[in-house]
Amino acid sequence: MTLDAFILAELGMTMLPTHDDTPFAISRSSLRSGGKMFPNYYRPDRRHAVEELRRLGADLLGNLVDFIRNQRAISTDDTTYVGLANIRSNTGEFIDAEEEVGGMVSVFNTGDVLFAKLRPYLNKVWVADRPGVCSPEFHVLRLSSGGRIESSDYLAAALRASPTLTQTVRMMTGNTHPRLAPEDVAELVIPVPSPAVQKTIAAEVDRRRTEAHRLRAEARVGWAAARQAFEDALLGPAE
């Protein structure tokens, strides 16, 4: 079972398959009341996801987190910089990547969730395991004090899950650099199950992440051994 299927099962959700060519219509009054004039916002898959989430007692992201907008110029004292290239799509793993850094950065703390506003279909969400600075192309989200979300790990999993991704890809604007506006991010509908379900989902995410790290480490060792064997066979023993 995929992680997304596991999350949907724990939430008790079913998702409408996504078909970009599905015909649909929207009334003029709905356009006016919704305040959105771009058609993707009204596609059936996004509306279905939102209806399913509301049926389960979801809430708006803006009611669950604080948006941290602490920006300053990059400094030579900054030891941790996170750019979009450092976050693996869909899994939220931190990876080493070269990225030119300059100008303004956003400050984050351990436990904050970095949510990419640029090209949201890449689904880049990271839970900070250290303090640092990041590209302004991330929203820095911090759990609201006394809020209904139990952990940053659950929040990140919910943001990466298909019910949220279905919303973000239909809400982004811009052709060359599609992104989410801050007010649209705050209006994302996020599932808020019981604390027990949140804990179960967060634990499963952690288990799969740990297993993925183990498998990658084994693969690196195996690849190094195979490369050495190939070089020995090709070049022969050193004299």
Side-chain angles (χ1 to χ4, degrees), residues 107-123:
V107 180
F108 62 85
N109 292 336
T110 302
D112 289 344
V113 175
L114 274 55
F115 180 58
K117 64 179 79 169
L118 179 66
R119 298 186 178 93
Y121 53 83
L122 295 178
N123 206 18

Side-chain angles (χ1 to χ4, degrees), residues 77-78 117 130 142 223:
D77 295 330
D78 292 322
K117 64 179 79 169
R130 74 206 82 165
R142 187 170 299 165
W223 167 245

Side-chain angles (χ1 to χ4, degrees), residues 209-235:
R209 181 170 51 223
T210 300
E211 180 67 6
H213 289 168
R214 184 186 68 80
L215 293 174
R216 287 197 183 94
E218 290 181 356
R220 284 194 294 269
V221 171
W223 167 245
R227 183 176 60 186
Q228 185 62 53
F230 174 78
E231 292 176 353
D232 291 346
L234 180 65
L235 302 176

Side-chain angles (χ1 to χ4, degrees), residues 57-97:
D59 203 347
L60 298 181
L61 181 62
N63 296 332
L64 301 169
V65 304
D66 296 320
F67 286 75
I68 307 303
R69 299 180 175 89
N70 182 8
Q71 293 192 348
R72 59 169 171 77
I74 188 73
S75 167
T76 54
D77 295 330
D78 292 322
T79 57
T80 296
Y81 172 82
V82 181
L84 293 175
N86 292 115
I87 308 304
R88 194 185 299 275
S89 295
N90 300 315
T91 66
E93 293 177 275
F94 184 90
I95 55 178
D96 292 328

